Amino acid sequence: MEIKKAVIPAAGWGTRFLPATKAQPKEMLPLIDKPAIQYIVEEVRDSGLKDLLLITGKTKRPIEDHFDRSVELEDFLREKNNNSMLDLVEDIAKLMDIYYVRQKAQLGLGHAVYCARSFINDEPFGVLLSDDIILGDPPCLQQMIDAYHKTGTAVVAVMEVKDEEVHKYGIVFPAGDSNRNLFPVSSLVEKPFREKAPSNLAVIGRYILLPEIFDILEDLPPGRGGEIQLTDALNILAQQGKVHAYRFTGQRYDIGDKLGFLEATVDIALSRPDIAESFLRYLSSKVQRGA
Ligand code: UTP
């Protein structure tokens, strides 16, 4: 079945970025001059999907405003003949059809995904977490869709992480040859202790899910951290042979983490023709001074 819809859960508090996230959504923090969430929406658009649902919350209104038209700003830019900025602003509102639903209590990622039930109905769909920026061509979501068409099951994006980092992720237990790009998973565990981790293969924020996930999420008790965990729902499906893991290609940044956010900012700056040269000169002068 064709995948036409995607869901971006964006209702979390973003506590790792306080105080910046006290009064603004972490999804609106910019990587140079583009809010993080726009990179994710562009990935959905570039993967050929038509409809997008954002799961938001009370404090997330700026996200809706960002993807809406801003007629006053457009008029102002038009009057000033600032056509490049006018195009930039108008294009954001045309990116794709975006729908919104509010998660009324932040009960966890599994609960956030459950809020998409009526929108999804009975189709397979993509889920993207805006903490994970993945740069590359083809877009990671597109790769995941291709993987889904090979397996017909749920697919989770995975990458190898260091032993000391497994406690930060959902970790998969491979059922087949995990050196391949696409392999079956027999179970998943959310944020295991290092000595109990079944592998070093961490689930990154891209998923293809089937509507059967909603029946599982509906009755799922809270798991790790007292939250309703998507990993726990996927674990039930994995035990039925209904989950594959996919090793994606592309450069991934964990921008929910301060260091990851900084790395993404630096790499994007170095890839931007308008600022790369001056930024590189600045970095070289810092290195020469031993700073
Ligand atoms: P995180 O666990 O990273 O939570 O959620 P967070 O609140 O965004 O950030 P920290 O850890 O407090 O700094 C992973 C993803 O799931 C979404 C978040 O928005 C993020 O994209 N999420 C999480 C929800 O939409 N609702 C929830 O109840 C929990």
Side-chain angles (χ1 to χ4, degrees):
M1 207 172 169
E2 203 192 333
I3 296 186
K4 293 179 283 206
K5 294 178 181 170
V7 176
I8 303 179
W13 285 109
T15 50
R16 282 171 292 167
F17 263 91
L18 282 168
T21 48
K22 182 169 176 244
Q24 66 172 334
K26 76 168 173 184
E27 294 78 10
M28 289 302 293
L29 296 178
L31 294 163
I32 313 298
D33 49 11
K34 197 196 284 189
I37 187 86
Q38 193 178 329
Y39 288 87
I40 309 291
V41 173
E42 287 173 354
E43 182 181 333
V44 176
R45 190 260 329 258
D46 293 345
S47 302
L49 272 58
K50 297 277 174 277
D51 292 328
L52 173 61
L53 178 71
L54 254 71
I55 314 290
T56 67
K58 219 180 234 163
T59 57
K60 305 284 180 156
R61 183 145 230 153
I63 300 179
E64 289 184 45
D65 291 342
H66 182 70
F67 292 108
D68 195 1
R69 284 193 62 190
S70 173
V71 178
E72 297 84 351
L73 177 60
E74 288 170 23
D75 287 346
F76 173 79
L77 294 170
R78 204 171 286 112
E79 265 167 39
K80 299 276 174 199
N81 288 321
N82 192 344
N83 292 327
S84 59
M85 283 300 158
L86 179 62
D87 289 348
L88 191 100
V89 165
E90 284 182 331
D91 286 350
I92 295 170
K94 293 181 200 151
L95 270 173
M96 58 187 306
D97 286 335
I98 306 182
Y99 303 82
Y100 299 89
V101 66
R102 281 190 177 186
Q103 184 188 19
K104 294 184 183 66
Q106 277 87 345
L107 301 179
L109 175 59
H111 180 261
V113 170
Y114 185 75
C115 296
R117 185 173 204 162
S118 313
F119 176 80
I120 296 299
N121 200 10
D122 61 354
E123 303 171 36
F125 60 103
V127 173
L128 302 93
L129 304 191
S130 50
D131 279 348
D132 286 315
I133 298 275
I134 303 175
L135 302 178
D137 191 23
C140 184
L141 183 63
Q142 175 68 64
Q143 298 173 41
M144 301 285 292
I145 293 169
D146 294 344
Y148 161 76
H149 285 305
K150 290 188 186 132
T151 65
T153 68
V155 183
V156 296
V158 293
M159 65 179 268
E160 255 161 60
V161 296
K162 295 186 194 125
D163 286 350
E164 55 272 27
E165 293 193 333
V166 291
H167 71 278
K168 298 184 193 164
Y169 295 91
I171 301 290
V172 303
F173 195 125
D177 178 2
S178 64
N179 289 317
R180 301 176 62 160
N181 281 350
L182 186 59
F183 55 91
V185 165
S186 61
S187 63
L188 294 96
V189 54
E190 181 66 18
K191 300 190 173 85
F193 294 114
R194 182 175 172 164
E195 40 305 336
K196 294 217 168 128
S199 76
N200 280 42
L201 291 165
V203 177
I204 303 304
R206 298 291 181 278
Y207 310 78
I208 302 295
L209 301 177
L210 277 71
E212 61 192 343
I213 196 90
F214 295 120
D215 287 336
I216 297 173
L217 288 170
E218 187 169 17
D219 297 322
L220 200 65
R224 186 116 193 158
E227 296 191 351
I228 298 176
Q229 297 286 358
L230 182 61
T231 305
D232 294 345
L234 284 164
N235 183 39
I236 293 172
L237 287 173
Q239 288 169 6
Q240 299 165 9
K242 292 178 175 173
V243 179
H244 281 75
Y246 174 70
R247 288 174 183 266
F248 59 94
T249 58
Q251 179 65 45
R252 175 256 179 181
Y253 302 91
D254 175 7
I255 62 158
D257 171 76
K258 289 185 243 308
L259 187 60
F261 191 92
L262 197 55
E263 286 167 355
T265 303
V266 168
D267 283 359
I268 292 171
L270 291 173
S271 74
R272 287 262 305 245
D274 55 337
I275 49 174
E277 216 174 292
S278 335
F279 183 51
L280 203 55
R281 264 201 305 275
Y282 170 76
L283 286 181
S284 316
S285 70
K286 280 263 178 211
V287 172
Q288 272 163 19
R289 276 186 268 134

